[in-house]
Each structure stands twice: as structure tokens, then as C-alpha cells.
């Protein structure tokens, strides 16, 4: 068994027991023994790593307070978004109203019949 | 103190499933008092989970809060097919994973007075501790579950809601990086 093969197997073994082949190689290879020792230490460190922090009595209150703050902020954003859309919609309505009715009112105000004007102009042309 | 123990441990006065279902339903309607009750029922479990991945108490508090805030926001995705604790565990692990991805380095620290390979050279312990700090947080995340908890690829996939292929690939990368780090010292 090569060192590469052994180290691959050791890394994957999840701390399980060693087979005969692995033990035999380790007996004869100091570099792999060193690697195996460090791998075991690494596994211990990973296994024992823990912050050991417990929640205090006020934790649930802090969570709900945070949710309330978020709710207020999100409601504000939601309202601002709605206001923006309402403004855009109103602007479009007013603009379309102005475009449709503006020239018509102008024509009616002045009492000018543009069709008659065009026909008169056409008839007089040489 | 393992995550498996955390997920199986009784929570003192263990709530009946119907009470949890009632609290979840009320929370979905916006009842913050009901949600606060859910938080109190599950906060110990969440702190144990988060404490596996983060060292500083303020980080554990922050991630625990983020877990419950995320749970509140995504409560409609809980369909009730599995116990609420399983769903909350998944939310918690995913929050931890995403938080670790945003970080560069996180020092591993063991509980005080816990034996670390008692026969090992103390210098070797310090050296390996230093080498592990060079792991990317996402690699450490997977290794903490594989090596720290002894979970299988299938168990990790189930807890996180990831595919097994995804977990296998991440596990392979993390183990390869661990091996490279440990060999760096051994083979010089």
C-alpha cells in the first residue's frame, strides 16, 4: 500500500478502526504515522469544538422585538412602493386625459373647422 | 455534546405536537406571542446547533436570532409532514452555512478540560489547531458535521435538504484540503 493510498483511506475513514493493511504500513512508515497522529488530533478538535453558550431569559423577547422592527421597516417600504405606483398611475391618467381633450377643446374654443379650411385651401390652389 | 444529542434531547416539559402545530398556525396568522412561545420552546436546541459552528457568544446569539427570524419569514414553507424541530434544524444549519460563507476565518476552540488525543504531543495539538484555522469556513462546516458529529453523507443531506451528490462533492473537497494541510507539516 502506498502512502498516498493510506492517507486517502485514513482521511475518509471517519475515525473507524484500522484494517491490517493500514496498520502494517503505519508500522513501517514514520511519515504516515505522523500524518495519522495529526489527523486524530484534528478529529478531536473538530469533535470537541463547541461554544457552550445558552440562551438567557430575554432571548425570545429580543427575537420578537427584531421582528417588530423588521415589520415596521417593511411596512414603510411597502407603503412607499404603493405610493410610487399610485403616483405613476395618476400621472399617466392625467397625461392621457390632457392629450385626448386638449386639442379638441382648443378647436372648439376657436370655432375653427379644420376640414373646411383644408378644402378651401385645396380649391384655391392652382 | 453532539448535534445528534441536541436533536434528540427532551426540552424539559416537552410540548405536545398539537401545541406546536397550534403555535405554528397562530404564528402564520401574524401572532407574535405564539411565535415567542415557539422560540422559547426551541431556543436551547438552536443555541446548541449554532454553538457547534461559532465560537463567540455574540456570534451564537446573532445566528440564533437569524435562525428564528428566517423561520418566521419562511413559516409558510413548513408543511407539517415532519416535526417542526426537523424543519427548524434545517433552517438553522442553512443560516450557519451562509454565515460561514461570508466569513474568512473562524478559530476552532475546544471546550475547556476536554482531552484532545491525551497521548499527543502538546506542540502537535497547537500546530494542528493552527493548521485547521486555514480551512475555509465552508470546509470546516462540512468537516464539523462529518468528523465532529460523525454524520454520514446521507444524514447531512437530509438535515440540510441538499442532494447527496452535493454533500459528497463538498465532503471530498473538504477532506482533501484537510489532508493537504496536515501533510504540509508532516512531509517537510
Amino acid at each position: 500500500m502506498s502512502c498516498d493510498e493510506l492517507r486517502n483511506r485514513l482521511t475518509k475513514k471517519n475515525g473507524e478502526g484500522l484494517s491490517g493493511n493500514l496498520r502494517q504500513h503505519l508500522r513501517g512508515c514514520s511519515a504516515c504515522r505522523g500524518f495519522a497522529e495529526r489527523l486524530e488530533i484534528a478529529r478531536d478538535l473538530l469533535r470537541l469544538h463547541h461554544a457552550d453558550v445558552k440562551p438567557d431569559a430575554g432571548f425570545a423577547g429580543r427575537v420578537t422585538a427584531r421582528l417588530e422592527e423588521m415589520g415596521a421597516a417593511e411596512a414603510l417600504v411597502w407603503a412607499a412602493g404603493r405610493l410610487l405606483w399610485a403616483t405613476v398611475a395618476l400621472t399617466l391618467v392625467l397625461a392621457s386625459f390632457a392629450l385626448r381633450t386638449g386639442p379638441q377643446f382648443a378647436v372648439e374654443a376657436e370655432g375653427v373647422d379644420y376640414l373646411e379650411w383644408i378644402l378651401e385651401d385645396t380649391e384655391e390652389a392652382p | 455534546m453532539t448535534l445528534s444529542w441536541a436533536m434528540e434531547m427532551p426540552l424539559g416539559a416537552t410540548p405536545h405536537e398539537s401545541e406546536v402545530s397550534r403555535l405554528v398556525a397562530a404564528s402564520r396568522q401574524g401572532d407574535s406571542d405564539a411565535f415567542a412561545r415557539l422560540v422559547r420552546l426551541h431556543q436551547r436546541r438552536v443555541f446548541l446547533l449554532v454553538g457547534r459552528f461559532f465560537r463567540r457568544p455574540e456570534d451564537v446569539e446573532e445566528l440564533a436570532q437569524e435562525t428564528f427570524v428566517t423561520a418566521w419569514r419562511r413559516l409558510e414553507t413548513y408543511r407539517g409532514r415532519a416535526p417542526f424541530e426537523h424543519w427548524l434544524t434545517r433552517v438553522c444549519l442553512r443560516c450557519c452555512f451562509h454565515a460561514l460563507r461570508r466569513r474568512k476565518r473562524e478559530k476552532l476552540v475546544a471546550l475547556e478540560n476536554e482531552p484532545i488525543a491525551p497521548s499527543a504531543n502538546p506542540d502537535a495539538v497547537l500546530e494542528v489547531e493552527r493548521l485547521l484555522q486555514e480551512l475555509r469556513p465552508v470546509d470546516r462546516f462540512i468537516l464539523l458535521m462529518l468528523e465532529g458529529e460523525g454524520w454520514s453523507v446521507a444524514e447531512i443531506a437530509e438535515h440540510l435538504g441538499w442532494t447527496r451528490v452535493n454533500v459528497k462533492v463538498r465532503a471530498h473537497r473538504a477532506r482533501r484540503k484537510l489532508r493537504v494541510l496536515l501533510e504540509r507539516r508532516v512531509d517537510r
Side-chain angles (χ1 to χ4, degrees):
Chain A
M1 177 178 292
S2 67
C3 294
D4 183 58
E5 204 176 5
L6 175 124
R7 293 177 189 187
N8 263 342
R9 288 196 189 181
L10 282 180
T11 312
K12 286 178 189 171
K13 280 188 77 60
N14 243 26
E16 297 158 14
L18 301 177
S19 68
N21 281 349
L22 294 177
R23 288 181 204 278
Q24 191 174 3
H25 181 99
L26 286 173
R27 270 196 292 271
C29 181
S30 60
C32 284
R33 277 202 305 275
F35 175 82
E37 182 191 342
R38 280 161 177 72
L39 183 59
E40 186 59 31
I41 293 169
R43 286 193 165 124
D44 276 345
L45 283 169
L46 289 166
R47 192 164 42 244
L48 297 171
H49 174 249
H50 203 280
D52 195 26
V53 177
K54 294 178 177 55
D56 59 27
F59 176 74
R62 291 195 290 279
V63 171
T64 51
R66 185 167 162 176
L67 291 176
E68 280 171 16
E69 283 174 18
M70 274 170 36
E74 285 171 359
L76 196 62
V77 168
W78 182 87
R82 290 279 173 168
L83 186 61
L84 178 65
W85 280 114
T87 305
V88 168
L90 186 61
T91 304
L92 287 173
V93 166
L94 289 175
S96 68
F97 185 70
L99 285 171
R100 286 172 56 192
T101 58
Q104 184 180 350
F105 277 133
V107 169
E108 287 178 2
E110 295 174 4
V112 175
D113 186 347
Y114 281 104
L115 184 57
E116 187 179 350
W117 175 75
I118 289 168
L119 290 173
E120 283 179 3
D121 191 47
T122 305
E123 287 174 1
E124 290 176 4
Chain B
M1 192 184 305
T2 65
L3 293 180
S4 303
W5 171 78
M7 289 195 287
E8 291 167 6
M9 68 171 188
L11 296 169
T14 307
H16 195 269
E17 277 299 324
S18 62
E19 187 199 355
V20 172
S21 299
R22 183 184 61 77
L23 291 171
V24 169
S27 299
R28 278 188 176 135
Q29 302 303 317
D31 185 344
S32 57
D33 289 336
F35 190 73
R37 173 87 178 125
L38 274 178
V39 170
R40 278 189 286 273
L41 289 173
H42 298 96
Q43 60 189 21
R44 274 185 69 200
R45 186 192 304 277
V46 167
F47 266 67
L48 275 169
L49 285 170
V50 175
R52 169 56 81 182
F53 303 105
F54 295 91
R55 168 192 169 220
R56 299 188 308 169
E58 54 269 31
D59 290 339
V60 175
E61 162 86 19
E62 171 61 26
L63 263 299
Q65 282 195 25
E66 192 169 318
T67 295
F68 284 109
V69 166
T70 304
W72 168 265
R73 280 181 160 157
R74 300 184 58 82
L75 211 47
E76 74 279 1
T77 65
Y78 172 61
R79 293 184 177 83
R81 287 197 290 261
F84 181 73
E85 289 85 357
H86 293 186
W87 180 83
L88 189 63
T89 297
R90 179 174 294 184
V91 171
C92 180
L93 289 174
R94 285 186 173 179
C95 284
C96 291
F97 175 71
H98 290 300
L100 284 168
R101 283 177 75 176
R102 294 194 293 268
R103 293 177 180 225
K104 289 192 175 176
R105 295 283 180 262
E106 184 79 14
K107 186 179 178 194
L108 283 177
V109 69
L111 291 170
E112 288 181 1
N113 303 321
E114 287 285 355
I116 299 177
S119 60
N121 181 349
D123 290 337
V125 173
L126 285 172
E127 186 155 6
V128 171
E129 203 171 38
R130 185 185 57 78
L131 289 172
L132 287 177
Q133 288 178 45
E134 296 185 37
L135 278 172
R136 289 186 318 154
V138 291
D139 291 327
R140 190 180 304 114
F141 179 77
I142 288 290
L143 288 173
L144 280 167
M145 289 186 285
L146 284 169
E147 305 289 351
E149 290 299 314
W151 284 351
S152 65
V153 165
E155 286 171 321
I156 295 172
E158 186 187 335
H159 290 315
L160 276 161
W162 289 350
T163 63
R164 289 189 187 190
V165 170
N166 186 0
V167 176
K168 266 190 182 176
V169 168
R170 290 180 186 275
H172 174 74
R173 285 177 185 161
R175 282 174 165 145
R176 190 176 60 199
K177 290 203 172 108
L178 177 64
R179 176 182 160 178
V180 166
L181 283 172
L182 295 177
E183 283 179 338
R184 199 190 295 171
R185 170 65 183 88
V186 169
D187 294 335
R188 72 175 187 200

